[in-house]
Amino acid sequence: MRTILLFVACFIWAGSPLLAAEASEGKEVFQKMCSRCHKLPESGTRTAEQWKLVIDIMQGIMQQRGETLLNEKEKQQVLLYLQENAKQPSSARETGAENLFIARCALCHQLPEPGMLKAAQWKLIIKTMQQRMQQAGVPQLKEGETELIMEYLTEHARK
Ligand code: HEC
Ligand code: HEC
């Protein structure tokens, strides 16, 4: 038992500077790789979960444009850096659907307010946005993603 505790203690002790080093490398990778097409985004504008989704979307854009993607190690380092500097979730109930909506619908303009339209109107808007994504070379929503976002919008739409 003693040895196990000691082992765990050493692991934690040795682990945190290691993580800190990874995160600081992550900052460099972030600054280099994420300022190629637009100005560097502020880390505090999104939660860690939302950053995960945004990075996957960005990887899709890079791929479509023939730009160098982040490799797996760089991606993990950037996520670690962003996690340490990300926005705190506003509520414990922040759902996957809400995170997806935020990740997907605040890329080209401010996040729209769900209560400003009725569900049927949102459905049409999403169709238009899919076209805009295609025109802009941003990967379109997959079927399951459209459904999730529509569920979220329907729940919060103008009645
Ligand atoms: C190959 C080009 C490209 C690269 C590289 C790229 N992005 Fe983007 N990014 C885009 C495009 C296209 C948009 C959509 C808006 C626009 O047209 O500028 C966007 C929008 C964004 C937005 C929303 C606007 C904002 O500032 O809030 C965020 C956040 C973002 N990118 C994060 C990242 C991160 C993080 C990385 C690095 C992992 C990255 N991007 C790398 C092309 C790129
Ligand atoms: C590829 C970029 C891009 C993405 C991603 C995007 N939009 Fe848009 N959106 C636009 C453009 C361009 C306009 C029209 C000009 C403007 O208002 O900036 C627009 C306008 C809108 C409008 C105003 C109504 C209109 O038709 O002009 C709403 C509402 C909207 N978007 C909702 C969304 C939602 C919801 C999502 C997520 C599913 C989304 N947008 C994702 C580019 C985008």
Side-chain angles (χ1 to χ4, degrees):
M1 191 62 191
R2 276 288 272 289
T3 27
I4 292 179
L5 276 181
L6 200 70
F7 177 76
V8 170
C10 287
F11 183 76
I12 293 170
W13 177 79
S16 45
L18 217 91
L19 281 183
E22 290 280 302
S24 98
E25 272 193 47
K27 182 176 182 180
E28 278 171 38
V29 177
F30 176 63
Q31 288 173 339
K32 179 167 146 245
M33 300 296 272
C34 304
S35 61
R36 285 176 293 166
C37 306
H38 46 67
K39 70 179 173 50
L40 195 67
E42 292 278 341
S43 56
T45 53
R46 287 162 177 82
T47 66
E49 271 314 303
Q50 292 155 12
W51 277 120
K52 252 190 226 161
L53 297 168
V54 167
I55 288 188
D56 285 340
I57 303 167
M58 292 304 135
Q59 295 277 64
I61 298 177
M62 292 175 216
Q63 191 162 31
Q64 281 191 8
R65 297 189 181 187
E67 296 277 346
T68 311
L69 276 74
L70 284 72
N71 63 35
E72 201 46 44
K73 182 169 180 225
E74 290 171 330
K75 193 175 137 182
Q76 292 313 321
Q77 288 172 329
V78 168
L79 279 173
L80 210 61
Y81 164 70
L82 288 174
Q83 265 160 26
E84 287 186 0
N85 297 278
K87 183 172 133 188
Q88 290 304 312
S90 54
S91 70
R93 316 190 295 113
E94 208 163 71
T95 62
E98 182 175 7
N99 284 331
L100 186 65
F101 171 64
I102 292 170
R104 275 297 193 161
C105 303
L107 287 179
C108 308
H109 45 65
Q110 277 196 324
L111 190 69
E113 173 53 48
M116 76 184 190
L117 297 173
K118 294 186 174 178
Q121 294 171 310
W122 279 121
K123 210 166 178 183
L124 294 175
I125 291 278
I126 300 265
K127 279 214 179 106
T128 317
M129 292 307 134
Q130 290 278 50
Q131 286 163 5
R132 296 217 200 266
M133 289 180 216
Q134 192 180 25
Q135 286 158 5
V138 172
Q140 288 178 268
L141 299 169
K142 297 184 199 87
E143 207 174 295
E145 294 179 323
T146 308
E147 274 172 25
L148 257 184
I149 290 180
M150 260 324 287
E151 264 173 40
Y152 175 78
L153 286 172
T154 305
E155 193 186 329
H156 296 89
R158 193 149 61 83
K159 301 289 184 252

